[in-house]
C-alpha cells in the first residue's frame, strides 16, 4: 500500500520561509516523478513544482525563483523549500507520486502566510 505523508506546514509571516517534506512508503520511490500541488479555499488544485526520477525540476510561474523542489532517494522523501512567502501562497499543499499505472496523493499540509 502506497502512502505519502506531508509535514512542515505552518503559519509564517510574509517574507518568511518554510520547508515542506513528503515521505513515501510502500513503493520504490526512486523510479517515480514527484510533485507538489496546492489548493486555496474556493480554488482548484494547481501544480507548484515537479521533479522527475532523474532530478529534472519544473516550477509554476507563480513560484519560480522563490521555491525549490528536491528529493532524497535514500530517505524516500521529496522537499519543497519555500522562500519569500506571500499571502497568496496560503493554501493546503499536497504531494503527488506519478508513474506508469500509478498516481497517489498525500493528505495535505496547511501553509498560512499572514501577519
Amino acid at each position: 500500500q502506497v502512502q505519502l505523508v506531508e509535514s512542515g506546514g505552518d503559519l509564517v509571516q510574509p517574507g518568511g520561509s518554510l520547508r515542506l517534506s513528503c515521505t513515501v512508503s510502500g513503493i520504490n520511490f526512486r523510479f517515480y516523478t514527484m510533485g507538489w500541488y496546492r489548493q486555496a479555499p474556493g480554488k482548484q488544485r494547481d501544480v507548484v513544482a515537479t521533479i522527475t526520477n532523474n532530478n529534472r525540476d519544473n516550477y509554476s510561474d507563480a513560484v519560480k525563483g522563490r521555491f525549490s523542489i528536491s528529493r532524497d532517494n535514500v530517505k524516500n522523501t521529496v522537499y519543497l523549500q519555500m522562500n519569500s512567502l506571500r499571502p497568496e501562497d496560503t493554501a493546503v499543499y499536497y504531494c503527488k507520486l506519478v508513474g506508469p499505472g500509478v498516481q497517489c496523493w498525500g493528505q495535505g499540509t496547511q501553509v498560512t502566510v499572514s501577519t
Side-chain angles (χ1 to χ4, degrees):
Q1 179 180 350
V2 181
Q3 284 192 313
L4 286 70
V5 179
E6 300 101 332
S7 61
D10 206 345
L11 169 64
V12 63
Q13 292 190 347
S17 297
L18 281 177
R19 189 176 82 155
L20 305 183
S21 301
C22 172
T23 299
V24 180
S25 60
I27 200 166
N28 203 333
F29 170 81
R30 73 168 85 181
F31 295 126
Y32 294 90
T33 290
M34 296 298 301
W36 284 99
Y37 293 71
R38 67 186 181 186
Q39 187 167 19
K43 297 192 175 181
Q44 67 181 21
R45 190 174 299 187
D46 291 326
V47 62
V48 174
T50 59
I51 186 166
T52 66
N53 60 335
N54 55 4
N55 282 317
R56 292 180 66 178
D57 57 7
N58 197 26
Y59 300 90
S60 69
D61 288 343
V63 307
K64 200 171 294 183
R66 300 188 297 123
F67 291 11
S68 177
I69 190 171
S70 61
R71 63 191 298 160
D72 184 331
N73 289 339
V74 174
K75 294 183 178 179
N76 286 2
T77 299
V78 61
Y79 303 99
L80 185 69
Q81 178 66 43
M82 306 186 294
N83 299 326
S84 303
L85 283 161
R86 304 168 180 169
E88 54 264 38
D89 295 318
T90 295
V92 178
Y93 284 71
Y94 299 88
C95 68
K96 179 181 178 182
L97 177 146
V98 178
V102 63
Q103 176 178 291
C104 298
W105 291 93
Q107 83 289 349
T109 186
Q110 176 71 47
V111 172
T112 303
V113 185
S114 176
T115 55

